[in-house]
């Protein structure tokens, strides 16, 4: 079993920045992906970004490309989401997810992830 804990959410003004962290504990794997998803009030959970176990492969939703950066520190078993130039439409609960068997072509599909964190709220004021 894998436990994921997100942190770093909060309230920020439009144009500001936040860095989210997701720390994993429990069983670890040598492959697969970790991803970030978000869910705004009344909307479906949507893909934000993903990163491979090695950190060599990343993927982003079009809506965040050029503004968000996903990275990881395997020594700390932590994945980060650096969010810059935040917009009010980025307001959502952000979730970390992981799956040790996930292939690159499936990283944007929330149904492919086995493990999920509890989420952290990000609110961007205009």
């Amino acid at each position: 079993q894998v436990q994921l804990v997100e942190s770093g959410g909060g309230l920020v003004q439009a144009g500001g920045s936040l860095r989210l962290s997701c720390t994993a504990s429990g069983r670890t794997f040598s492959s697969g992906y970790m991803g970030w998803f978000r869910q705004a009030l009344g909307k479906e959970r949507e893909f934000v970004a993903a990163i491979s176990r090695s950190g060599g492969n990343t993927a982003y939703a079009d809506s965040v490309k050029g503004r968000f950066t996903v990275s990881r520190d395997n020594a700390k078993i932590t994945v980060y989401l650096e969010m810059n130039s935040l917009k009010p439409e980025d307001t959502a609960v952000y979730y970390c997810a992981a799956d040790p068997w996930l292939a690159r072509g499936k990283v944007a599909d929330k149904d492919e992830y086995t493990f999920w964190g509890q989420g952290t709220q990000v609110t961007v004021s205009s």
Side-chain angles (χ1 to χ4, degrees):
Q1 195 73 359
V2 175
Q3 293 80 42
L4 303 174
V5 178
E6 304 98 333
S7 60
L11 173 64
V12 64
Q13 288 189 329
S17 299
L18 280 176
R19 188 176 81 157
L20 305 183
S21 299
C22 172
T23 300
S25 62
R27 185 179 178 185
T28 58
F29 299 91
S30 59
S31 61
Y33 279 79
M34 291 186 73
W36 287 97
F37 288 76
R38 66 186 182 187
Q39 188 166 16
L41 197 62
K43 295 189 176 180
E44 292 282 322
R45 190 169 299 189
E46 65 176 6
F47 171 72
V48 176
I51 187 166
S52 61
R53 173 66 174 80
S54 68
N57 291 308
T58 58
Y60 296 92
D62 288 342
S63 59
V64 306
K65 277 181 183 175
R67 300 189 298 123
F68 291 11
T69 302
V70 61
S71 61
R72 67 188 299 158
D73 182 339
N74 284 334
K76 297 180 180 179
I77 322 178
T78 299
V79 173
Y80 303 98
L81 185 67
E82 185 75 36
M83 306 185 293
N84 299 313
S85 302
L86 282 161
K87 305 174 182 179
E89 51 263 44
D90 293 318
T91 295
V93 177
Y94 283 70
Y95 297 90
C96 175
D99 193 281
W101 306 279
L102 195 57
R104 180 176 176 83
K106 301 282 189 179
V107 298
D109 187 346
K110 63 182 183 298
D111 295 330
E112 295 290 332
Y113 287 82
T114 303
F115 305 106
W116 289 86
Q118 82 289 349
T120 185
Q121 176 71 46
V122 171
T123 303
V124 184
S125 63
S126 57

